[in-house]
Amino acid sequence: MRLVIASDHAAVTLRMQLVETLRSWGHEVVDLGCEADRRVDYPDYAATACDRVLSGQADRAVLVCGTGIGMSIAANKVAGIRAALVHDVTTAALAAQHNNANVLCLGGRVLGPVTCEQCLEAWLSTEFETRHQHRLDKITAMESSL
Ligand code: RB5
């Protein structure tokens, strides 16, 4: 899969570890930063990563900040993005199976690297169940009516 990944300053080390893991699993990964030497604003990184997904340059995005909350709030402002903040294998698998999430958000200050890797594995390997599509269609309709 072609993935983009980004983090703010709260999760640089974790992000770098996840990049290596994802590449070792055979994924094509573009790392959008941030650098370790400065504090940044997570909405900037969420916006860039979401653009890559919507433009077709990437299949999915992984966003990491301290809690994952800020990244998920920001990403879900972008029409066409379904960003899921997950904490374990169950929520990560269901984010794919029920929500067809095209962005996964993780909290680097609340989850360890092994849990994050398990979440990624579950999200990337679980198929969307099309019986849920009509609910996603309602979300898409909300994007143009609000
Ligand atoms: C940065 O200090 C922190 O607010 C950010 O990483 C994230 O946790 C926001 O939701």
Side-chain angles (χ1 to χ4, degrees):
M1 210 177 278
R2 295 169 307 143
L3 302 172
V4 288
I5 187 168
S7 78
D8 70 358
H9 51 277
V12 172
T13 304
L14 172 64
R15 189 196 78 242
M16 289 176 170
Q17 185 171 333
L18 297 180
V19 168
E20 293 310 310
T21 300
L22 289 165
R23 286 179 178 153
S24 77
W25 292 346
H27 297 288
E28 197 179 298
V29 183
V30 174
D31 185 356
L32 299 174
C34 67
E35 302 302 322
D37 59 351
R38 66 196 175 98
R39 301 177 74 79
V40 300
D41 300 329
Y42 56 81
D44 298 333
Y45 288 82
T48 304
C50 291
D51 276 352
R52 297 288 183 103
V53 173
L54 294 177
S55 68
Q57 295 174 76
D59 300 311
R60 295 185 185 182
V62 179
L63 296 173
V64 196
C65 64
T67 59
I69 296 171
M71 284 291 199
S72 62
I73 291 172
N76 279 314
K77 295 293 182 193
V78 181
I81 293 298
R82 293 175 302 281
L85 172 59
V86 303
H87 295 102
D88 52 31
V89 167
T90 302
T91 50
L94 288 170
Q97 193 178 78
H98 287 208
N99 311 113
N100 202 13
N102 49 10
V103 175
L104 198 77
C105 300
L106 298 163
R109 288 176 175 159
V110 294
L111 298 179
V114 172
T115 301
C116 289
E117 289 176 353
Q118 291 170 340
C119 288
L120 286 170
E121 202 280 333
W123 176 58
L124 292 167
S125 65
T126 302
E127 295 288 322
F128 174 57
E129 288 181 353
T130 53
R131 67 192 173 93
H132 296 284
Q133 183 59 50
H134 67 286
R135 299 179 178 119
L136 304 188
D137 292 342
K138 290 188 176 186
I139 294 172
T140 301
M142 290 168 69
E143 290 173 343
S144 49
S145 67
L146 294 177

